[in-house]
Amino acid sequence: MRQYDSYSTGIKIAIVGRNKDTANYENALKEMGVRYTVTMDLGRLSGYDGLLLPGGGDITPAFFGQKNQGSRNIDIELDIIQLQALDLFVKWERPVLGICKGMQVINVFFGGTIIQHIRELSRHAWENGDKMHTASAQAGSFLENLYGEHMTVNSAHHQAIGKLGQGLCMAQTAEDGIIEGISHDRLPLLGVQWHPERLFSTSVYTTDGPSNGKVLFSYFLSLCSPCL
């Protein structure tokens, strides 16, 4: 397990989402000692050094060229704002971390598609808590550098990435082929299907158990530089 703790505590992270859904992400950034704001106001984003796209409901299927085939808990306003926020950070070439739905938003932004209801549901969907399963990192990916080739991740989703968007690289897959991590081939954009913000307790980390989410957050934060 690799540690990345060289980030500046002066950086500021924007969580683009609704306050009622972001408590776990806020707690994670608090524990990392990083300033953050939860906002839906695109006009405030220029002063932020990194963007966190959190988990949540499902993306509006029309945004990836499909009719609704099992998507639920859709929030069109939030989808539009998150895609617009991502567009800004892509133009600014500032770091982005997408978690669960946030990773899927990144994929849709770059022209990818979503599987609206995965057949492998029993292995991945929330059921009285996170499911746990193993995942394998692609050689040379950021997740292999952080955690090694194999790790255990937590899971709470019924949708997954279908076709990868332009410029995106697969970084990790589950045993059933579901994509668990992505990155961009040029920009500092990272995405995971699992929930590192719920894996912050070092007491749960063992060589055979869940992997510590602080490692991923630390790496993301190390990519961020304070805006001038």
Side-chain angles (χ1 to χ4, degrees), residues 87-126:
D87 183 53
L88 290 173
F89 275 78
V90 166
K91 289 176 179 175
W92 296 332
E93 299 189 358
R94 296 182 194 171
V96 178
L97 173 61
I99 295 174
C100 198
K101 179 196 175 185
M103 179 182 82
Q104 296 169 7
V105 168
I106 293 172
N107 191 55
V108 168
F109 176 85
F110 285 99
T113 62
I114 300 297
I115 302 170
Q116 294 188 50
H117 199 69
I118 55 178
R119 289 180 295 177
E120 300 83 355
L121 182 64
S122 61
R123 303 178 189 175
H124 294 272
W126 173 279

Side-chain angles (χ1 to χ4, degrees), residues 15-22 38-40 52 54 78 82:
I15 305 174
V16 174
R18 299 196 186 278
N19 292 87
K20 65 183 181 65
D21 301 321
T22 59
V38 179
T39 184
M40 298 271 285
L52 195 159
L78 177 60
Q82 288 181 331

Side-chain angles (χ1 to χ4, degrees), residues 61 141 153 228:
S141 69
V153 299
L228 299 177

